[in-house]
Amino acid sequence: MSTACAEIGNVFQVITPHGVAFLEGPVSGDYLDTLAFDEKLNNFRQPEKQKAALKEIADLPEGMVYIVRVGAKVVGYVTFLPPDRHSRWSKHPRVLELGAIEVSPDWWEYKLARKLLELAFSNPVMEDYIVITIEFCWHWDLRNTGLDVWQYQKMLTKLFGSVGMQKELTDDPDILEHIANVLMVRYGKRVPQKDIELFKEMLFMRQGVFFREQCK
C-alpha cells in the first residue's frame, strides 16, 4: 500500500491507510515512560521489559533511541549505544553500536524500519562514529517472516546497506559462532583515518591480545 512521508523537525510523519505513524528521536527515557509498547514488540524480550531497557539506553550519555509512534503507542524502535565493555569493540574510542531494531508485524508493510534508520543517520553526530551492528541469527524472527536464515540475512544487509553500512569480515568469536551471523559497519565522514585503520586492525586479532599490545 502507498504511504506519504513528511519531515517535521526531528519528526517524520508517515501517513498510512491505518493511520499516521510518527518517527521521532532521539527520545528521552522520560518521554518513553509516557508511552505504551505494542504487545507484538517481543522479539528480544517482553514489551514492558524492552521498554525498561530502552529507557536505560536513552539516558546513557552516548545512548540514542529512535521510535515509531502511533498515538501513544510505540510500534517500532532502533537503539544506539556504546559497545558492551567485554567486547573488543569497546576498546575503540569511536565505535557506536546499533543495538536493536524492531517493528511490530502489524506495521511491516510500510517500510518503517528503513525510514527509522534514515532518520537516525540524518543526525550529524553519526558522522563522528564508526557505527557497527552485530546481527546474531538467533534473534531473527524467522517464524513470523517465513524466511530462512539466509533470506533473513539478505533482508537485513539490504536494510542496513540503505544507510551506508557494509559487511566486514572478522574473527570475533561471537560472530563466528554461527555462519549466518554478520558484522556490518558504517564509517562516519568525520572519523579520522587513524581511527578507521585502528578499527580495521581490530577486525582480526586473538581475543585480548590486541589491547595488551597497545598498552606496552
Side-chain angles (χ1 to χ4, degrees), residues 157 160-161 164-168 182-187 200:
T157 55
F160 296 127
M165 304 194 82
Q166 59 193 36
K167 284 185 183 180
E168 290 280 14
V182 62
L183 169 69
M184 296 193 71
V185 181
R186 180 184 183 275
Y187 300 96
K200 291 188 174 182

Side-chain angles (χ1 to χ4, degrees), residues 67 85 185 211:
I67 62 170
R85 64 187 180 88
V185 181
F211 186 58

Side-chain angles (χ1 to χ4, degrees), residues 3-6 12-16 19-23 107 110 112 115:
T3 62
C5 186
F12 282 89
Q13 285 186 2
V14 181
I15 302 168
T16 81
V20 179
F22 295 90
L23 282 66
W107 294 85
Y110 305 117
L112 295 175
K115 292 180 172 68

Side-chain angles (χ1 to χ4, degrees), residues 27-32 52-65:
V27 297
S28 68
D30 286 343
Y31 181 58
L32 288 172
L54 264 60
K55 285 171 56 182
E56 290 184 11
I57 293 171
D59 290 336
L60 292 173
E62 292 181 284
M64 289 183 285
V65 176

Side-chain angles (χ1 to χ4, degrees), residues 40 42-43 105 108 140-147:
K40 294 182 180 179
N42 56 13
N43 197 42
W108 281 352
W140 299 348
D141 191 358
L142 305 180
R143 180 170 56 87
N144 285 324
T145 60
L147 302 176

